[in-house]
Amino acid sequence: DVKVTQSSRYLVKRTGEKVFLECVQDMDHENMFWYRQDPGLGLRLIYFSYDVKMKEKGDIPEGYSVSREKKERFSLILESASTNQTSMYLCASSGTSGSQETQYFGPGTRLLVL
Amino acid sequence: GENVGLHLPTLSVQEGDNSIINCAYSNSASDYFIWYKQESGKGPQFIIDIRSNMDKRQGQRVTVLLNKTVKHLSLQIAATQPGDSAVYFCAENHTGRRALTFGSGTRLQVQP
């Protein structure tokens, strides 16, 4: 079975802090994704990566950056956290470089920015 | 729970009944569709997928129907059980795009 893990289930940070969210997958997947999930807005794509050191902006990249130094690990970085970044963050991975493969999700990180 | 929940449409069914969850999409180029289930406090879990060259696909207790003419997708769950209570999302993709586009979800509540 595909396993996607996220470093934290819950995080509380203060405005202006730098925040790192880590995601690891164990299936040698090329593609990895970061989403945020908010009431009434569903899942929105922040960034994705289709190879090591490669990244593409999603629909809402502002205020975020990402890092993919190793194939199995994809990090989401909030350079200066703001209260409007309080959300559930979901990482996903998928298996080929094509566009039509199932994404497998981690359990999510609930981030609260005070 | 931690799901998207405050503004979701909700479907309430009795245990043992069949459930039908609907999803509309707008992109006529969409050619791949997935249903996900998200339980409280967990990430979305893959249920079933279908490609646009099909109009029906069956899994274990689940069936997905695709009507490309009206751009409509449905998930049917047979003999709904309390463990089926969750938020269900449809997602779509099309050739050339790497990322899925998700619907806003429907909450399924199973009454014992």
Side-chain angles (χ1 to χ4, degrees):
Chain A
D1 283 349
V2 174
K3 188 170 184 181
V4 180
T5 57
Q6 295 182 228
S7 52
S8 304
R9 294 301 306 275
Y10 301 94
L11 276 179
V12 181
K13 297 291 182 181
R14 298 210 172 270
T15 301
E17 281 193 77
K18 190 169 186 176
V19 182
F20 292 88
L21 302 182
E22 301 284 336
C23 176
V24 177
Q25 49 92 5
D26 66 356
M27 285 301 292
D28 202 35
H29 282 172
E30 289 84 359
N31 304 317
M32 296 187 75
F33 306 82
W34 275 107
Y35 295 88
R36 63 178 285 176
Q37 184 177 34
D38 301 287
L41 297 176
L43 277 78
R44 293 181 292 167
L45 181 65
I46 304 171
Y47 266 98
F48 65 97
S49 169
Y50 51 90
D51 201 351
V52 175
K53 296 191 185 295
M54 305 302 288
K55 61 185 180 185
E56 283 194 26
K57 293 180 179 179
D59 300 319
I60 51 162
E62 295 79 17
Y64 303 94
S65 62
V66 291
S67 173
R68 186 127 181 243
E69 296 297 318
K70 293 185 178 181
K71 191 175 186 180
E72 68 271 18
R73 188 178 298 269
F74 191 36
S75 302
L76 180 69
I77 303 155
L78 288 66
E79 294 289 342
S80 178
S82 62
T83 55
N84 63 12
Q85 292 179 309
T86 290
S87 187
M88 167 73 97
Y89 289 88
L90 289 161
C91 175
S93 70
S94 68
T96 75
S97 58
S99 62
Q100 295 187 348
E101 290 299 322
T102 303
Q103 293 182 24
Y104 297 91
F105 284 85
T109 296
R110 170 68 70 185
L111 174 66
L112 173 62
V113 182
L114 299 175
Chain B
E2 296 177 335
N3 291 343
V4 175
L6 295 181
H7 307 292
L8 286 178
T10 298
L11 174 66
S12 186
V13 301
Q14 292 293 124
E15 182 177 357
D17 287 351
N18 296 335
S19 302
I20 301 176
I21 301 170
N22 296 304
C23 183
Y25 63 96
S26 58
N27 189 347
S28 57
S30 299
D31 54 8
Y32 179 62
F33 304 88
I34 304 176
W35 280 101
Y36 285 93
K37 172 186 180 183
Q38 187 175 23
E39 297 175 274
S40 182
K42 298 182 179 180
Q45 177 186 5
F46 170 82
I47 303 173
I48 192 168
D49 61 0
I50 188 169
R51 298 191 185 274
S52 58
N53 60 352
M54 303 173 68
D55 53 20
K56 180 179 180 179
R57 191 170 186 213
Q58 289 185 293
Q60 186 177 11
R61 279 202 309 119
V62 295
T63 301
V64 56
L65 299 177
L66 175 62
N67 185 331
K68 296 181 286 294
T69 302
V70 296
K71 299 189 184 68
H72 184 267
L73 190 69
S74 68
L75 177 70
Q76 300 180 357
I77 304 173
T80 313
Q81 302 169 359
D84 295 326
S85 293
V87 175
Y88 290 81
F89 294 95
C90 65
E92 60 88 11
N93 204 347
H94 56 270
T95 303
R97 176 169 162 84
R98 296 183 186 272
L100 297 169
T101 300
F102 286 83
S104 58
T106 296
R107 178 176 298 283
L108 176 65
Q109 293 181 337
V110 182
Q111 308 297 331

